[in-house]
Amino acid sequence: MLSAESAAVVRATLPAVAGALDEITTRFYGAMFRDRPELLDGMFNRGNQASGAQRRALAGSIAGFATALLDEPDIRPDALLARIAHRHAAVGVTEDQYTIVHKYLFGAIAEVLGDAVTPEVAAAWDEVYWLMAGALIAQEARLYQDAGVEAGRAWRQWTVVERRPETPDAVSFLLRPADDEPSLPARAGQYVSVRVRMPDGVHQLRQYSLSSAPGDDLRRITVKRVTGEVGAPDGEVSNLLHERVCAGDELTLSAPFGDIALDDPADATAPLVLVSAGIGCTPMAGMLAHLTAIGSTRPVLVLHADRSPAEHALRAETRELVEQLPQARAVFWYQQPGLQEPDAQAGLMDLDGIELPEEATVYLCGPLPFMRNVRGRLLTAGIPARNIRYEVFGPDLWLPGTAA
Ligand SMILES: Cc1cc2nc3c(=O)[nH]c(=O)nc-3n(C[C@H](O)[C@H](O)[C@H](O)COP(=O)(O)OP(=O)(O)OC[C@H]3O[C@@H](n4cnc5c(N)ncnc54)[C@H](O)[C@@H]3O)c2cc1C
Ligand code: HEM
């Protein structure tokens, strides 16, 4: 796929480009948002901009893609891009915007690397960019088509039919299409973007996993209120949803997207292990509800860690769902155990002594350090890496090459 000439140039310049990617992406976003402020209104997440997480995810993905192309020049590493394509579809990226990103990204590369960017170097990296963009555009077109929406226009109004506090910090919103028209079914494990207008007039999007069975017209999301740590501000959208959104209100939601979804034809028999911590329980609750709804007989092991039973969102519901599945069991760990869960383990999740089914498919969701740790333990326990799938509740900073 990558021409031999370009491959040689990319190989020679990859260390310099990779080393400068942080500065390049900082300048890229700075210039792009200065000239195109509308992209920060209703598309990019300004919390991720402020924390630098989005910049690092973009840089990591470009370096990862270029490295994969060099390792196997004849294969376009499309699989690396599925997560990005789903996220792009959920925020409404369109084909024409790739030209805008290209202009500012390559402007920033030229600024940072100066004379080192000869026409040959620029052409070789151009090829990498358009291979990546081409693959993303194609995947995104398919996703929009499958969702039955026009590119970039996956938005629909939903009415909050119920608002239910789950814990002091987590609240669920049960939603129905405001126009009462049917909605396309989602897949268990997928998420939607919620689009809200902030008090300063700027629109912001955030993703929330579907925490109920995704098959019918009612959808549920469960939102944890984010409190700023060490001087950082509180999370803006989660707090707005907590403070302002009540039953009867409308929310703007995207169609459902997300590549980490349960592949579960009704007769699937492979064992499942659902591992989560904190608010990472939401996609697992959606998967469990789906398995129950289809009368699954798969062996399912649910492992969850939290600070305390009182802070464990959807705890009672998870227990009930597990009881309804003939071959499911759950183990919970709490740093501060309480009387509500007499059988729970004390402390952090510890997989020693947990019998993991062979050839299980594992779904993992929680903070990155938790997922790194658990994935390491799963690999040691003999679960093949290909069977471990993870969802990150933020820009993915756990890309190939950086995985622990
Ligand atoms: C696929 C996916 C599924 C998700 N599912 C769920 C779910 O089911 N439930 C759920 O609760 N969440 C979920 N999330 C997370 C959710 O999308 C939001 O990220 C979360 O609600 C926080 O958004 P916020 O607007 O409240 O915080 P933001 O305002 O975006 O802030 C996020 C963090 O950045 C920090 N920050 C903001 N500004 C600055 C600054 N200037 N300097 C330093 N730090 C700063 C904040 O302190 C905070 O820690 C999911 C995310 C993804 C990607
Ligand atoms: C080849 C070009 C591109 C690459 C390599 C790229 C890469 C990425 C990556 C790695 C993420 C984070 C995904 C995740 O981990 O969840 C992301 C998210 C995103 N991208 Fe792109 N992208 C490209 C083009 C574009 C274009 C053209 C736009 C539209 C202007 C765009 C807008 C976004 C937005 C809005 C997000 C979500 C950001 C957030 O919520 O913080 N991207 N992209």
Side-chain angles (χ1 to χ4, degrees), residues 44-45 48 54 57-58 61 83 87-88 97 101 132 396:
F44 279 89
N45 170 333
N48 289 342
Q54 172 58 23
L58 177 77
S61 74
R83 179 188 159 90
R87 181 65 73 81
H88 279 170
Q97 290 169 335
V101 163
M132 203 170 181
D396 188 357

Side-chain angles (χ1 to χ4, degrees), residues 9 19-20 48-49 142 243 258 324:
V9 177
N48 289 342
Q49 287 300 322
R142 248 193 328 273
E243 284 157 21
Q324 287 172 47

Side-chain angles (χ1 to χ4, degrees), residues 195-232:
R195 183 179 198 266
V196 291
R197 188 168 186 269
M198 301 312 298
D200 63 1
V202 168
H203 293 88
Q204 284 286 288
L205 309 179
R206 297 291 183 273
Q207 288 70 46
Y208 293 102
S209 301
L210 299 172
S211 63
S212 61
D216 58 23
D217 273 342
L218 282 178
R219 275 189 188 148
R220 188 181 69 177
I221 58 171
T222 303
V223 178
K224 184 185 171 179
R225 174 200 288 271
V226 172
T227 311
E229 281 170 18
V230 283

Side-chain angles (χ1 to χ4, degrees), residues 160 162-163 171-175 219-221 223 241 245:
V160 178
E162 187 191 339
R163 174 198 156 104
V171 63
S172 286
F173 299 97
L174 194 64
L175 302 144
R219 275 189 188 148
R220 188 181 69 177
I221 58 171
V223 178
L241 293 172
V245 178

Side-chain angles (χ1 to χ4, degrees), residues 51-202:
S51 68
Q54 172 58 23
R55 199 171 67 227
R56 291 197 299 279
L58 177 77
S61 74
I62 296 173
F65 188 83
T67 307
L69 273 179
L70 292 178
D71 289 348
E72 288 186 274
D74 296 335
I75 298 171
R76 192 174 65 181
D78 283 6
L80 284 185
L81 304 178
R83 179 188 159 90
I84 306 174
H86 278 269
R87 181 65 73 81
H88 279 170
V91 297
V93 170
T94 50
E95 183 172 353
D96 53 307
Q97 290 169 335
Y98 281 87
T99 313
I100 304 174
V101 163
H102 176 267
K103 172 178 162 192
Y104 290 99
L105 187 58
F106 279 73
I109 292 176
E111 248 179 62
V112 173
L113 297 180
D115 293 344
V117 188
T118 60
E120 291 73 32
V121 171
W125 280 94
D126 218 52
E127 209 179 320
V128 172
Y129 178 87
W130 285 113
L131 276 175
M132 203 170 181
L136 285 168
I137 290 166
Q139 288 195 30
E140 287 153 24
R142 248 193 328 273
L143 291 174
Y144 287 129
Q145 193 182 20
D146 290 350
V149 296
E150 235 180 274
R153 296 184 183 276
W155 305 104
R156 196 163 172 198
Q157 290 301 107
W158 291 68
T159 305
V160 178
V161 292
E162 187 191 339
R163 174 198 156 104
R164 190 195 311 144
E166 301 287 357
T167 69
D169 272 339
V171 63
S172 286
F173 299 97
L174 194 64
L175 302 144
R176 181 196 301 284
D179 56 11
D180 283 329
E181 292 292 317
S183 58
L184 278 180
R187 293 166 66 207
Q190 289 195 304
Y191 56 81
V192 291
S193 288
V194 175
R195 183 179 198 266
V196 291
R197 188 168 186 269
M198 301 312 298
D200 63 1
V202 168

